Amino acid sequence: MAKDNFYNYNKDNIQGGAGRLVVSNDTMFRPESISDIMDLETYELKEGFRDLGATNEGIERSRGNETEDVEIDQSTTPIDSTITSWENTIATTLMETDINNRQLANAGGVIKKTAPKTGKALSLAAPLSLNARQIKVDSGESDSIDSGVRFIKIGSETGQVASVSDNVITLKQPLGKSYDESEQVTPILKLGTKKIGYGAPSRVTPVSLTLLVRRDDGTFLMVHYYEVKISDNVETNHGKEKATLPVTFTAFAQDDLPDDENIYVEIEQDLGNGGENSGE
């Protein structure tokens, strides 16, 4: 009996999945596998790469060309066409507007950091559980707590102080980790700063841009653009809504690669032939 599949489609090829955008300053890097950029077990990026973070309304990739018709006197219609240019762009809206993303999106200068001014480290009087808001320090050190302190640091976390009463510090937001009594609490007397300037440079520094997608079937697709530069206007609105960074990147050709392979490369895992041999 003939197979009733007149439309001849394969639903396994209909894939979705949000994208993860990654940048690097190394525009000469030529990945041969997904694991050259991301550890496939931990999903940690390899050294030299960083995430652009959350995006909104997807990541749009555009590829197109312009042509010029070849016309001759002996024909009333063109007999051929010649490609005169290619354009490859990647556009999205970055939701994480940290200083590193602002530097990239707005072609900023060097980020200059000033360290915070801290007070005497204080010992915990009791362990802290996940989501704790009250921090009790050793009663003998309570005199070292300035009632005007606005931030404290514990482990890798910095918390905003709501109030200080005797040897108890109450935070505005709960802690994201638990801590044992060996951990210390450091009052921050003055926050550090990050300073960056913006001007009108004649040249924008290029970066490499990588799109990582985990698809519906659990496999990964990687699209690596060898060299891109920020282009188009970036408009940031500071209002009631969360601030955003709409960005567009334009990709450029590499002169050390073949003409039909010199803009970007795609590497995908393939369930049909073992996966690990293609895009590991």
Side-chain angles (χ1 to χ4, degrees):
M1 184 176 180
K3 184 179 178 182
D4 186 12
N5 190 13
F6 171 75
Y7 292 104
N8 196 26
Y9 64 86
N10 183 350
K11 66 179 182 180
D12 292 336
N13 290 332
I14 303 173
Q15 295 280 354
R20 178 181 180 182
L21 279 178
V22 175
V23 294
S24 169
N25 292 327
D26 187 357
T27 57
M28 293 302 296
F29 181 66
R30 305 289 186 261
E32 294 295 331
S33 67
I34 298 174
S35 59
D36 288 340
I37 291 178
M38 179 186 70
D39 187 304
L40 295 177
E41 298 296 326
T42 65
Y43 307 144
E44 292 292 324
L45 298 177
K46 298 301 178 72
E47 185 177 356
F49 296 90
R50 77 169 181 89
D51 281 298
L52 293 182
T55 61
N56 190 22
E57 297 185 359
I59 299 167
E60 297 180 356
R61 299 171 52 217
S62 175
R63 175 171 166 83
N65 62 66
E66 293 186 2
T67 61
E68 183 175 299
D69 290 338
V70 178
E71 298 182 353
I72 60 174
D73 294 338
Q74 288 75 23
S75 175
T76 57
T77 62
I79 62 168
D80 200 355
S81 65
T82 301
I83 295 176
T84 57
S85 68
W86 282 92
E87 184 175 58
N88 297 267
T89 61
I90 310 94
T92 190
T93 297
L94 300 180
M95 295 299 296
E96 299 190 24
T97 58
D98 62 281
I99 195 168
N100 293 301
N101 281 355
R102 298 198 309 271
Q103 179 194 48
L104 176 66
N106 295 299
V110 176
I111 299 173
K112 301 173 183 177
K113 299 181 181 180
T114 301
K117 182 180 179 181
T118 59
K120 177 186 174 183
L122 308 171
S123 302
L124 287 176
L128 296 171
S129 61
L130 175 68
N131 294 325
R133 286 189 58 202
Q134 289 193 323
I135 301 174
K136 182 179 288 188
V137 300
D138 192 298
S139 58
E141 299 177 348
S142 59
D143 293 340
S144 301
I145 307 175
D146 184 345
S147 60
V149 67
R150 294 173 53 231
F151 295 90
I152 59 94
K153 186 174 180 64
I154 180 167
S156 60
E157 295 185 75
T158 298
Q160 188 175 4
V161 175
S163 65
V164 177
S165 178
D166 296 327
N167 65 328
V168 177
I169 302 171
T170 302
L171 302 178
K172 289 191 174 183
Q173 299 293 331
L175 293 172
K177 298 180 181 178
S178 60
Y179 299 94
D180 57 37
E181 291 182 65
S182 64
E183 196 66 63
Q184 290 188 312
V185 180
T186 304
I188 299 177
L189 306 179
K190 183 179 180 181
L191 288 174
T193 61
K194 295 178 181 179
K195 179 182 178 182
I196 183 171
Y198 299 91
S202 59
R203 181 177 182 274
V204 175
T205 302
V207 295
S208 71
L209 184 69
T210 307
L211 172 65
L212 296 164
V213 179
R214 182 165 57 183
R215 298 184 292 192
D216 297 337
D217 61 4
T219 62
F220 289 105
L221 165 69
M222 181 180 79
V223 184
H224 180 79
Y225 291 85
Y226 300 116
E227 180 180 341
V228 303
K229 291 183 181 180
I230 196 74
S231 59
D232 211 347
N233 294 332
V234 177
E235 298 179 358
T236 302
N237 179 31
H238 297 278
K240 294 180 180 180
E241 304 294 333
K242 297 292 186 182
T244 61
L245 282 173
V247 293
T248 300
F249 298 94
T250 298
F252 298 94
Q254 304 301 291
D255 57 11
D256 62 325
L257 295 173
D259 288 349
D260 56 352
E261 300 177 4
N262 61 2
I263 301 291
Y264 65 90
V265 61
E266 291 185 355
I267 301 175
E268 66 178 353
Q269 292 178 318
D270 183 5
L271 292 176
N273 59 11
E276 293 186 356
N277 293 327
S278 87
E280 177 197 48

